[in-house]
Amino acid sequence: MSSMDITFPAFDLRFMAPEIFLFLWALFVFAYDVTSKRKSSTAAGYLAMLGLMIAGAILAYTNYGQGYGSMFLFEPAAKFFKIIFLGSAFMAIGSSFGITKERIINHRGEFFGLILLSTVGMMFLSSSNELLSLYIGLELTTIPLFVLASFFKDNKLSVEAGIKYFIVGAFSSALLVYGMSFLYGLSGTTDLVQMKINIAMTHLTFKEIGVILVLANVLIIAGLGFKLSLPPFHQWAPDVYEGSPTPIAAFLSVGSKAAGLIAFAKIFVNGLYAFNGPEMAPNDWGILVGILACAAMILGNTVAIRQTNIKRMLAYSSIAQVGYIMIGMVTMNDLGIASVGFYIFAYMFANMGAFAIVAIFEERTGSCEIQSYAGLSHTSPVLATTFAVFLLSLAGIPPLAGFFAKFFVFASAIKMAQADATAGWLYWIVGVGLLTAVFSLYYYANIIKVMFFSKEASPYRVHYTFPSFGIVLIGIAGVIIFGLYPEPILKFASDISLSFGFLP
Amino acid sequence: MIPISAYLIVAAVLFGIGTVGVLISRNMIVVFMCVELMLNAANLALIAFSRALNIMDGHVFVFLALAVAAAEAAVGLAIVLAVYRNRETVNIDRFDMMKW
């Protein structure tokens, strides 16, 4: 090695400039709230939003590169997901001004600071290319969310949500570490790219390691399945979404889910892709995950029909959406992982917007029952119309962004199935996806029916409070603009597949 | 010299006890202890692999995993305390306010 190759580790810090800034800003938000004399109900929230915007600007000017061996890798995939994390945190904070005004009186700084810390964890996670930093990032994501889910500590539902999320989260992280320990033992490295090569080499001489590899895969799929709320590891999601503060439920359903997706892509697509071949059939995780994706689509879309609480309905809807996203994940071609990126991007706008409206409505009426939305179009037509647009995007109606998201996922799977004879099972998954998409229309349209075609006018007139309604407008803009004009995001998303080594 | 398989068997047994404990135990504190048992089983496996392969990565992983487990325990016990103040029970069967 020549002397030119030696870099000072501190120099690598520039790749994580957005994370470092956001971490310090979170501490600043904590400190500000403790030390400020006049308790403003909005200052900490605006500070947190400002911090996210500055972090986004720093992110835009950070160069791609790799630091600390392979521990920190900043490439297009990381950048794309970091934008999603920052965006979902921004929208979650923007829609929580209602609850900080009335329900969180004393700990506003902690509430916003913990959201920022969780975002830092997600951003680290999306840059890690190595088991250790991936695990730390995942835990930094989840631990603040345990606190946030149980933030209304005098509310029975909220603490119940917190304890359920905590037990499930701790259990899943134990499964994950145990699975990682096997991967480490088989490969002798924690670097995901090196791991792929080492395990393949070991497999050539010791065929028996296949059994341990399957065990490790199942443990890691279970561990990450809890984060993604992929059936059969989904039972916590509706309870936690119902009990936790609404913006936190939104953040869980988009930010935390995107974090689980990138962790899944890092470990399985980046780290274990070599085992998707026919000669190593027992290690093929693709079909197993495909079955789980089908279960997610069927279960999420059918159980959502009979929900009466809107947050539970959106929880089952998000379980179903993960099923669609996982179709892209198991499609091993250049379009697959790109369609995952586009899907979660479109899903962010629609879902954060829908939850923002639920938060505005809950703040005004104190109710999350679907029935209390009856006749909302008579008194608050703008709110009802925007809610309908978000629900139609979630259902996948053209020309909204949700339609193209589903379209690209199905198109990538069909292209893969046509190109590779061993991937014929993808046709079945696409079939299940198309069928359940029709089911999903029923419960989304049901809410629109309740809002628009009710004889009596709603007794509630919902006021448009500033930051929350701004978030709704951002969501509407995103859903419509990226529905009519998806090319720039698609182009960016196709860079993701380059990061994972799929050439177009 | 104790072979690596002995350590791995102990780790697997510990992990199994922890998993069964999480699934059948009704007391939240016991559930929590069982999760810690699972984490420590994973740590033991990591250390055993690390020693057998003569690479230090696993040791570093275990140090950080222990730190994370301690942070998780701090948050978790605080949540258990908040639950106990609300409900005056730590029995998991009583947390059934939300059902599908």
Side-chain angles (χ1 to χ4, degrees), chain A residues 157-475:
Chain A
L157 288 183
S158 184
V159 290
E160 186 174 322
I163 196 74
K164 281 179 176 167
Y165 190 44
F166 169 70
I167 289 175
V168 163
F171 183 68
S172 70
S173 93
L175 292 176
L176 191 68
V177 186
Y178 197 49
M180 281 178 174
S181 78
F182 283 130
L183 285 187
Y184 170 68
L186 289 179
S187 65
T189 176
T190 51
D191 182 331
L192 284 168
V193 178
Q194 187 65 37
M195 175 186 294
K196 168 160 49 183
I197 300 163
N198 286 7
I199 294 183
M201 296 289 280
T202 319
H203 194 269
L204 288 178
T205 39
F206 301 104
K207 289 285 178 208
E208 313 75 270
I209 70 162
V211 184
I212 303 175
L213 206 53
V214 170
L215 180 67
N217 281 2
V218 169
L219 282 168
I220 293 178
I221 287 175
L224 290 175
F226 275 116
K227 309 272 183 236
L228 291 170
S229 63
L230 200 63
F233 315 110
H234 68 282
Q235 286 97 340
W236 61 275
D239 289 2
V240 172
Y241 285 21
E242 185 187 346
S244 53
T246 308
I248 299 308
F251 192 51
L252 277 174
S253 73
V254 179
S256 165
K257 202 153 279 186
L261 281 174
I262 187 75
F264 194 96
K266 290 276 179 194
I267 294 182
F268 284 98
V269 183
N270 216 4
L272 295 171
Y273 171 54
F275 304 98
N276 199 29
E279 71 278 6
M280 293 181 184
N283 309 317
D284 193 347
W285 54 271
I287 292 179
L288 175 60
V289 176
I291 292 168
L292 295 186
C294 285
M297 290 184 286
I298 295 169
L299 190 139
N301 280 326
T302 47
V303 180
I305 291 174
R306 54 173 299 231
Q307 297 305 318
T308 55
N309 182 307
I310 189 119
K311 279 160 86 177
R312 288 186 84 82
M313 191 221 83
L314 284 172
Y316 279 104
S317 132
S318 86
I319 291 170
Q321 306 279 353
V322 161
Y324 296 111
I325 296 174
M326 295 316 273
I327 298 178
M329 193 71 85
V330 298
T331 305
M332 283 297 147
N333 63 6
D334 57 318
L335 288 176
I337 201 94
S339 66
V340 169
F342 186 82
Y343 201 113
I344 192 84
F345 192 78
Y347 177 66
M348 171 179 83
F349 286 109
N351 211 42
M352 296 305 289
F355 269 107
I357 288 179
V358 172
I360 295 174
F361 190 80
E362 188 188 10
E363 176 197 336
R364 175 78 181 84
T365 65
S367 165
C368 283
E369 295 301 309
I370 290 174
Q371 275 314 313
S372 50
Y373 283 75
L376 196 64
S377 66
H378 299 284
T379 54
S380 316
V382 180
L383 201 75
T385 312
T386 46
F387 200 22
V389 172
F390 290 135
L391 292 173
L392 290 176
S393 178
L394 286 173
I397 302 293
L400 301 169
F403 165 75
F404 288 102
K406 282 202 174 60
F407 174 78
F408 292 134
V409 165
F410 292 147
S412 68
I414 288 173
K415 187 184 168 210
M416 181 65 184
Q418 281 169 342
D420 188 348
T422 57
W425 46 275
L426 281 171
Y427 282 125
W428 287 97
I429 299 185
V430 171
V432 172
L434 288 171
L435 196 70
T436 52
V438 178
F439 284 0
S440 76
L441 206 54
Y442 176 81
Y443 60 85
Y444 291 126
N446 180 41
I447 296 179
I448 298 174
K449 190 198 88 185
V450 167
M451 286 193 302
F452 281 86
F453 301 104
S454 168
K455 294 262 179 348
E456 292 159 36
S458 168
Y460 311 114
R461 180 180 295 277
V462 178
H463 300 286
Y464 306 119
T465 47
F466 165 61
S468 312
F469 201 68
I471 297 306
V472 173
L473 292 182
I474 293 174

Side-chain angles (χ1 to χ4, degrees), chain B residues 23-37:
Chain B
L23 296 178
I24 67 168
S25 169
R26 301 288 76 169
N27 185 317
M28 206 147 32
I29 305 285
V30 178
V31 168
F32 187 54
M33 283 156 60
C34 291
V35 169
E36 293 292 312
L37 201 58

